Amino acid sequence: MDVTDIKDTARAVDAAAVMRLLPARPRLLALGEPTHGEDTLLDLRNDLFRQLVEQEGYRTITIESDCMMGLTVDDYVTSGTGTLDDVMDSGFSHGWGASAANRELVRWIRAFNEGRPASERLRFAGFDGPLEITGAASPRQALTALHDYLSARVGADLLPCTADTLDGLLGTDDRWTNPAAMTDPAQSVGQSAEAGKLRLLADDLVAVLDTQTPHLIAATSRDDWDRARLYGRTATGLLRYHYWMADTSPVRMSRLVGVRDQIMAHNLLAVAEQGPALVHAHNSHLQREKSSMRMGGTALEWWSAGALVSARLGEAYAFVATALGTIRHQGVDTPPPDTVEGLLYALPEDRCVIDAGRLATALGPTRPSHRVSPWFGYAPFDPAHLADSDGLVFVKDVSRS
């Protein structure tokens, strides 16, 4: 396939070009990235998301960050609670708060909302769990927040336990956050007797929340009830994650990465209930195909959040992957010409949107090679995923942030 044929599928990166790839406006429009922490890619995300908000009416932006911490950002952008500096320090996980592009995104959302009625404001959400690669948070914050919400609004006879009971079973937070537990299951408290009781109590608290829905929405607000549901999802998800941290079977790591994406998927489905939303995360969390990686010499496979959500929403979920040519400051140089990235690198444009389905059709039975990355932090685009992506954003060169 020559450059002229590929160029026929390429368009400038803007909202109109992305929407032309889709049969209708999806409820969740997801933009992936093949590496984290590069402001070149995040600046592109910001520009594209601004256009989609202003031209297509999207009203939530959600990114791969702690869903509990994200509440701080949402409070700031919707009501001005706190300061921008404080929000960037405490509203993001994974170190994302240090990003100049993420700071600009938050600043812009706050400015967009200024003077708008609540129904027209742009919301922010994190959709990852309170997880890092080195471990997971204590379920204390989510469990106690859910219990506090319920205990203030329903009779004590409906609750499965008191706050003191929860506190005693939780113990100290460092029992849950011990980093040694990620590599040594024996160090985890996730399958202790206390953790088992907490899983049952969390389930019962979520059941009370569900069965008292009409009363709770009337007594507070739908926003408060939605936030309580987030507490419930987070508490049960974290307890499930800690359970598998204590597992000693060969499927332990596959279970952990699968549970993480399950938490993400549940959060994305909840966001979708509230209106059209824009999603940003790593390609591997948003693609429709099974995700895979090697960790500690072990090959892992799991269904990503995007795959789980797509199975539920159908055409109401759309996924546009991002591929790139070079990250020279990380040793990622010009891509081989027989890869997807190499074919696109031959185009004159620095960045473009590609109709992935048309490109797959044009390539025919000749599948490009799968690029090999010399740097662990970058995952090349898998050419086998072309037909299952709604579009592909290509960035020729990523400069140092």
Side-chain angles (χ1 to χ4, degrees), residues 300-322:
L300 308 178
E301 280 194 342
W302 72 100
W303 289 109
S304 74
L308 297 173
V309 169
S310 180
R312 295 277 292 273
L313 297 185
E315 287 189 351
Y317 176 78
F319 168 54
V320 177
T322 297

Side-chain angles (χ1 to χ4, degrees), residues 33 77 83 89 112 116 169 172 175 185 247 300 315 331 365 401:
E33 62 176 3
V77 299
T83 67
D89 285 341
F112 178 89
R116 293 179 185 268
L169 290 170
T172 59
R175 298 171 64 237
D247 185 59
L300 308 178
E315 287 189 351
S401 298

Side-chain angles (χ1 to χ4, degrees), residues 136-151:
S138 164
R140 175 182 299 280
Q141 181 187 6
L143 263 180
T144 56
L146 175 59
H147 190 278
D148 288 348
Y149 173 83
L150 291 172
S151 63

Side-chain angles (χ1 to χ4, degrees), residues 236-259:
T236 55
L238 273 175
L239 285 164
R240 187 178 304 115
Y241 192 89
H242 280 288
Y243 177 90
W244 286 105
M245 283 186 74
D247 185 59
T248 57
S249 75
V251 300
R252 176 180 183 263
M253 289 307 303
S254 292
R255 287 284 194 172
L256 287 174
V257 293
V259 168

